[in-house]
Amino acid sequence: MIKKLTIPPGLRDESTSLAAGPSWHSVSNVRFRGGYAESIGGWTDSGTVTTYQGSESDMMGVARGVLTWSDYSSRRLGCVGTNWKFYAIGGLTAVDITPIRSSVTSGVTFGATTGSDVLLVAHSSHGAVPGDFVTYSNAVSLGDDITAAVINGEKQIISVPTSGTYTIAVSVDATSGDSGDGDGVDADYQINVGQPDQVLGGWGMGSWDATGLSWDYAPGVAFVTDEIRQVFMDNYNEDLIVCNRGGPLFYYDISRSINANTGKPETGITYRAQSLEEFTGFAEVPKKVDSFLVSERDGHCIAFGCNDIGTTTQNTLLVRWSDQNNPFDWDPTAVNTAGGQMLRVGSKIVCAVATKSEILIFTNSALYSMRFIGPPDVFSFNLISQNVNILGRKVSVNVAGSIFYMGMDGFYVYSGAVQPIPSPVAKLVFEDLNLDQKEKSFAGSNSSYNEVYWFYPSKNSIECDKFVIFNYAENTWSAGSFDMSTVGENASATGFNRTSWEDVGARAFPSATYISEYNRNTVPYTLKSKLALHELEPAESAPFAECGSHVETGDIDIAEGDAFTLLSRVIPDLETPKVKLGAQVALYIDVRCRDFPTTLDSDYTQLSTVSITDDGKDGLAVDGTSSYLGNNTSVRLRGRTIRVKFYNSVGMTTYLWRLGDIRLDAKPDGRR
């Protein structure tokens, strides 16, 4: 008797495998479309590189944001912000546009130690922190091997012994002849670097009332003493505005700067982003900003959690905006539209998301709607809902006319009102989420497939190593990890951990930044990032990432009472719609049987693995076109319940696959 397994689409992980029954109880790196599972598209490195210390390099730091757009000439442009730097991207070249915070002329001297490549740098009130970058020029030789060429150029600061000294490493060891001091060197200091991780501290002695005294005793949990460096970017017309959390806004003129590809005069033009206060006509520009965005509908630049006019003290509930179509003027007057508004519910603004008609502002306990209404008030602010929580600054995304976001205990959507999204993956995610590093979680849309991704660090990882997918058109969930791996606190990263995501836009494919080098055991840390393109099809010219994928059911009853069923064949319904030229398809089906409804995997009494291969010798096409894999395969299994797993091996992903219905050839086989 041929029996078709009817399995509804989507991952369901809220119960045991026995309770899950005929559903997909475990999945990885698959999506569900039209009711069936298929592998997600492949990815490859974009080939984008930068230059560091005169050599080709990956981007320095852990990327926390990526943005793509087009300029007036339809050139595709991009920006990546890391915890150390900002990069503008034109073509395959990433240009370091990290702003300069201070410059000194003839104000820096050096001291060398024989046999060491570390120099002690003297500069009064330098303001640097370990990991900062500084560029020297006009140096002279220290006397021997430490030449001017060794000193001049960009260096990274190793340590900061005092407010007037710091250390750097150079490419050669000093000799006894290197007794000079460089003769007053010029230096350009880039803005201070930021933390790659959440830093915790402040352990208390018990619960709030452990001593029976009062509320002001610290709980027995850690709290954040230093947040990760979050970056925010938005294009202003064809140009770019960027900021780090807690810092000022910077402006980058693309037409004058990127690759110097412009007809505009270049004399005296900086090739780095500049503070808004360096531009003509600036007024009352915010000096400390938690986040910002550009309202495309009305042309205002809007800062959230910033300092008020006339002060440098940051107000975490204050919203301010610039004059319309002028991001440099923030001083409200009778003849402009600059202004501000203090929110009242919550203690800080967490994030803001722009839609076509409004801007949603999440505080740590409420949701506001900000709408452009024109002068004199310019914007209206309405409290939509209280008791709203959001996990972090980067976990919301605007797609398909709705805002999808990740809360502290579930997933939600806003389409005029906040609604929870039924999520059978909530247990999977929130029982495995590293709350100490939750700010690294982020959302991204894959609109070509009607999907929202949420990336998050698992309990054993300090960087994102897992994700879940919600298909908002079909209301199905899936999960995966690409080829990411866990990252320990004091270890080197071994996987390609994603750190930010950008949907299809100026690029034809979704973009994601990932960690290419990560070692916290070096001083300073070794942190580098690259840019990947996702959802690629197998092709002869494009390498495919080595990502394994699988879908597995829960335990499905195939017999009643004390009766048994005998399985003799598995009849798969498989398709490989895209195969790289010359590649071998190797897919597998595991069918497990057991006699009794126990919860241990070891209690499966029988296992049969069905191998489905296609090497081009059996008449099936392996030429980049579709192959239909409908082989009948023999098994011999006997039991009361079965569990079916379909998968491909890591390293065998030079093809895409699609799963249809699975049929079993089964018949009754007596009783116990």
Side-chain angles (χ1 to χ4, degrees), residues 447-467:
S447 55
S448 299
Y449 293 90
N450 303 314
E451 293 171 345
V452 174
Y453 281 70
W454 280 281
F455 294 79
Y456 63 95
S458 66
K459 281 185 176 179
N460 297 319
S461 182
I462 62 171
E463 291 290 343
C464 292
D465 60 328
K466 295 182 179 179
F467 62 82

Side-chain angles (χ1 to χ4, degrees), residues 46 48 65-71 75-81 87-91 233-240 254 296 500-513 531-533:
S46 67
T48 302
V66 56
L67 176 71
T68 60
W69 75 101
S70 298
D71 69 2
R75 292 185 304 168
R76 292 193 297 269
L77 303 174
C79 181
V80 169
Y87 293 93
I89 300 173
M233 304 167 288
D234 209 345
N235 58 293
Y236 189 85
N237 297 324
E238 69 169 355
D239 294 333
L240 177 68
I254 290 293
E296 295 183 1
S500 64
W501 181 279
E502 175 82 356
D503 199 359
V504 171
R507 291 183 183 269
F509 304 97
S511 306
T513 57
L531 185 64
L533 302 179

Side-chain angles (χ1 to χ4, degrees), residues 276-354:
L276 297 185
E277 294 185 341
E278 296 183 55
F279 290 82
T280 302
F282 82 91
E284 297 295 345
V285 173
K287 294 177 171 58
K288 294 181 179 180
V289 176
D290 258 356
S291 64
F292 85 99
L293 57 80
V294 175
S295 178
E296 295 183 1
R297 180 172 181 263
D298 47 83
H300 290 87
C301 184
I302 306 171
F304 304 93
C306 56
N307 62 286
D308 207 344
I309 294 174
T311 178
T312 59
T313 302
Q314 192 171 11
N315 184 334
T316 55
L317 283 173
L318 179 62
V319 182
R320 289 180 59 196
W321 55 89
S322 70
D323 185 22
Q324 193 168 24
N325 300 319
N326 184 353
F328 310 107
D329 185 2
W330 296 70
D331 185 18
T333 68
V335 294
N336 71 16
T337 58
Q341 176 72 37
M342 173 77 171
L343 305 183
R344 301 296 177 186
V345 181
S347 59
K348 67 177 181 180
I349 295 173
V350 177
C351 69
V353 189

